[in-house]
Amino acid sequence: MERVLIVDDDTEAAQMLTNLSVLAPPNTPAEFQSCHDNLAQDGRFGYLVGCSEPMQRVYQQISRVAATSVTVFIGGESGTGKELVAQTVHDLSRRREQAFLAVNCGAISPQLMESEIFGHEKGSFTGADRQHQGLFERAHGGTLFLDEVTEMPMELQVKLLRVLETGSFMRVGSSVARSTDVRIIAATNRDPLAAVQAGALREDLLYRLNVFPIALPPLRARPQDIALLSAHFLSDIGEREGALRQLTPSALQRLEAYRWPGNVRELRNVLQRAYIMAEDALITEEWLPTDAPETEAGVNRKNGPGDALNFQLGSSLADVEQQLILWTLSRFDNHKERTAAALGVSLKTLYNKLKSYQKATAIPSPSPLPLHPEQSSM
Ligand SMILES: Nc1ncnc2c1ncn2[C@@H]1O[C@H](COP(=O)(O)OP(=O)(O)OP(=O)(O)O)[C@@H](O)[C@H]1O
Ligand SMILES: [Mg+2]
């Protein structure tokens, strides 16, 4: 299907597309070459769309590191495309024919995580009625993506460190060391040093993971990519729904001026909603977000009056966390992506927390045209 590119020939984005050949290193293997060709043709690199300078730097890093086996540590705010970077690294590596397995350390219970990652022997705990191969075994020869690695329990971080250092691990309930050849790609949307200081991430693990860091820029730092990304998402949605719709020039300007606290994921959801609300093939500004004054206050919320929460000394951590989450949610008008971005957690983690509060707390229903949680994560 034809792609609708909302890029004029003389725009900055079009200029960037013509300058891209500088990126391709000489004598690259076929996959790299086709990746660089795609970038020059339609602003895509692997699974990633965008050809702004900050993204070109990311592509350069991906190109270099993919050919090696070193551990990659991807940082960046929620919704910036960390999982897509991980998949692109895998697809450009010599492991591309083998498995790419992903685990979200924030989304599975600490009790299950060890067996999920390392596997278990039959009878090693109540309910372990058969032997189970963990991700390290199943990803042998391929890539294991550890998303939200700062959410991994400390004792498992020790075990992960051991695998990274020795290349071997033990299933739960076994004393047999098994060797594994797995490339690790880890990601977090938290500041890793702050996570170390907060006691969520072991310092030695951070340094072991951080062999090759890739920092994904937030969308507000690369407004040049918004035209291409919007065209990409609208083309996808249009194909799915059977009718193409595109942005008017002023609608595109509005998107480029917005701060995007939920990054590319928020852009995709905004376009989905605007597509549904549009009355004809043109999407106008009407259903697009603006940075309202209260959002600006949200950015500086540490200083604003009425923007502080007080807690009694002796409050439980769980209680403080719940109050902070619910308060932030109401402060952001129930906007879950912004709430997750402000709290520095993934949308999935936020949904899990809210689900666990639902029994005790009535949570107001989300904004108009709510999207299913699955549509909001990958
Ligand atoms: N550069 C990009 N090109 C195309 N789609 C993108 C890009 N970046 C992000 N997306 C899309 O935005 C959504 C979020 O991306 P992804 O899940 O990779 O983000 P993330 O950084 O892992 O977020 P989180 O920290 O919340 O897990 C996905 O639907 C993904 O396809
Ligand atoms: Mg992710």
Side-chain angles (χ1 to χ4, degrees), residues 42-64:
D42 61 6
R44 285 162 184 252
F45 184 91
Y47 295 94
L48 296 145
V49 173
C51 56
S52 59
E53 221 170 276
M55 286 310 285
Q56 289 193 45
R57 274 199 295 280
V58 169
Y59 303 152
Q60 223 157 4
Q61 289 172 295
I62 294 175
S63 301
R64 294 288 152 86

Side-chain angles (χ1 to χ4, degrees), residues 226-262:
I226 286 175
L228 271 175
L229 282 164
S230 302
H232 162 70
F233 290 129
L234 286 175
S235 154
D236 268 6
I237 301 168
E239 201 165 343
R240 218 172 40 234
E241 303 297 334
L244 278 182
R245 292 189 174 162
Q246 56 178 315
L247 295 163
T248 62
S250 55
L252 176 59
Q253 266 172 17
R254 165 86 71 97
L255 296 182
E256 286 171 339
Y258 182 64
R259 282 187 62 80
W260 298 110

Side-chain angles (χ1 to χ4, degrees), residues 47-50 55 59 76-84 147-148 189 216 222 229 232-233 264-265 268 346-347 377-378:
Y47 295 94
L48 296 145
V49 173
M55 286 310 285
Y59 303 152
E77 291 177 15
S78 186
T80 46
K82 295 185 290 296
E83 185 141 357
L84 297 186
D147 203 359
E148 293 193 45
N189 51 28
L216 267 180
R222 46 187 170 107
L229 282 164
H232 162 70
F233 290 129
V264 183
R265 181 182 289 124
R268 191 198 59 189
S346 71
L347 202 56
S377 50
M378 269 294 290

Side-chain angles (χ1 to χ4, degrees), residues 8-300:
D8 292 327
D9 273 345
D10 56 354
T11 59
E12 207 179 339
Q15 192 60 47
M16 286 186 302
L17 287 176
T18 57
N19 289 339
L20 286 170
S21 55
V22 291
L23 254 185
N27 305 323
T28 47
E31 289 77 17
F32 284 90
Q33 197 52 57
S34 97
C35 241
H36 288 289
D37 290 348
N38 286 343
L39 184 59
Q41 274 160 28
D42 61 6
R44 285 162 184 252
F45 184 91
Y47 295 94
L48 296 145
V49 173
C51 56
S52 59
E53 221 170 276
M55 286 310 285
Q56 289 193 45
R57 274 199 295 280
V58 169
Y59 303 152
Q60 223 157 4
Q61 289 172 295
I62 294 175
S63 301
R64 294 288 152 86
V65 80
T68 72
S69 268
V70 306
T71 303
V72 178
F73 194 27
I74 310 167
E77 291 177 15
S78 186
T80 46
K82 295 185 290 296
E83 185 141 357
L84 297 186
V85 170
Q87 286 174 334
T88 304
V89 170
H90 173 76
D91 275 18
L92 285 176
S93 75
R94 65 178 167 80
R95 297 168 179 267
R96 75 183 74 88
E97 305 295 340
Q98 310 297 324
F100 172 87
L101 298 181
V103 58
N104 185 326
C105 304
I108 41 178
S109 75
Q111 295 77 14
L112 283 181
M113 202 180 302
E114 178 168 7
S115 128
E116 191 57 32
I117 294 178
F118 299 107
H120 66 245
E121 296 294 348
K122 185 174 171 180
S124 53
F125 53 86
T126 320
D129 49 6
R130 60 178 69 171
Q131 190 192 64
H132 171 70
Q133 281 202 342
L135 293 168
F136 267 109
E137 276 170 89
R138 282 154 48 209
H140 185 69
T143 304
L144 178 56
F145 177 48
L146 299 171
D147 203 359
E148 293 193 45
V149 69
T150 54
E151 310 303 305
M152 186 182 268
M154 279 292 172
E155 63 276 16
L156 275 194
Q157 293 188 19
V158 179
K159 294 187 178 177
L160 175 61
L161 186 64
R162 198 174 313 135
V163 190
L164 289 168
E165 277 169 357
T166 64
S168 66
F169 68 95
M170 282 181 258
R171 289 181 185 158
V172 177
S174 163
S175 51
V176 179
R178 291 163 199 276
S179 63
T180 180
D181 166 29
V182 171
R183 179 202 215 140
I184 298 293
I185 304 183
T188 181
N189 51 28
R190 292 174 67 171
D191 170 356
L193 284 175
V196 168
Q197 270 160 12
L201 180 65
R202 285 180 63 100
E203 193 174 11
D204 45 9
L205 179 60
L206 168 62
Y207 291 116
R208 192 60 193 71
L209 290 175
N210 217 18
V211 182
F212 194 94
I214 296 182
L216 267 180
L219 188 54
R220 65 183 165 280
R222 46 187 170 107
Q224 313 91 304
D225 284 338
I226 286 175
L228 271 175
L229 282 164
S230 302
H232 162 70
F233 290 129
L234 286 175
S235 154
D236 268 6
I237 301 168
E239 201 165 343
R240 218 172 40 234
E241 303 297 334
L244 278 182
R245 292 189 174 162
Q246 56 178 315
L247 295 163
T248 62
S250 55
L252 176 59
Q253 266 172 17
R254 165 86 71 97
L255 296 182
E256 286 171 339
Y258 182 64
R259 282 187 62 80
W260 298 110
N263 292 294
V264 183
R265 181 182 289 124
E266 186 184 4
L267 172 64
R268 191 198 59 189
N269 290 347
V270 158
L271 289 169
Q272 171 87 59
R273 192 168 305 154
Y275 178 98
I276 295 169
M277 297 311 292
E279 271 156 21
D280 53 34
L282 287 179
I283 297 172
T284 62
E285 289 154 281
E286 191 182 358
W287 297 100
L288 301 179
T290 42
D291 288 306
E294 62 268 23
T295 310
E296 291 301 328
V299 172
N300 301 315

